[in-house]
Amino acid sequence: MKFTKYFEFTKLRPDRVDIREEWIAEAFYRPIYEEVQNDGRIRKWAKISEADNKFLRIIVLEDKETIHNAFFDRSFKEKL
């Protein structure tokens, strides 16, 4: 996994500072759902049991290896 400078900056925000890299890896390598945005970036979600079963969304760039953003997505509903 690689990270953008934007990611490195935003991960320091108070609402994101507790997001662990292992959770990001879970979403990256074993997402429960993913979709491609119109701009080619990829959204991936993982359910994080250690964070009260919140859904972590990561945004991966078109190169499929660089993570641009990661945050808990309160609007995500688990897809069956």
Side-chain angles (χ1 to χ4, degrees), residues 17-49:
V17 72
D18 293 331
I19 296 174
R20 299 181 191 164
E21 192 165 317
E22 67 202 53
W23 298 344
I24 294 169
E26 176 75 17
F28 186 82
Y29 293 111
R30 292 175 293 283
I32 61 169
Y33 187 75
E34 67 180 78
E35 63 186 26
V36 178
Q37 299 179 167
N38 290 338
D39 62 3
R41 294 177 179 183
I42 305 162
R43 296 176 180 165
K44 296 183 176 191
W45 287 266
K47 190 174 188 177
I48 308 299
S49 61

Side-chain angles (χ1 to χ4, degrees), residues 46-57:
K47 190 174 188 177
I48 308 299
S49 61
E50 297 159 301
D52 297 326
N53 289 319
K54 293 178 183 175
F55 293 98
L56 180 69
R57 183 201 304 185

Side-chain angles (χ1 to χ4, degrees), residues 1-8 10 24 27-28 34-44 57-70:
M1 295 183 304
K2 299 187 312 188
F3 303 97
T4 63
K5 290 194 181 298
Y6 174 81
F7 174 83
E8 296 290 345
T10 59
I24 294 169
F28 186 82
E34 67 180 78
E35 63 186 26
V36 178
Q37 299 179 167
N38 290 338
D39 62 3
R41 294 177 179 183
I42 305 162
R43 296 176 180 165
K44 296 183 176 191
R57 183 201 304 185
I58 65 169
I59 307 296
V60 181
L61 297 184
E62 303 88 335
D63 66 4
K64 300 181 180 170
E65 59 184 275
T66 305
I67 297 171
H68 179 65
N69 206 351

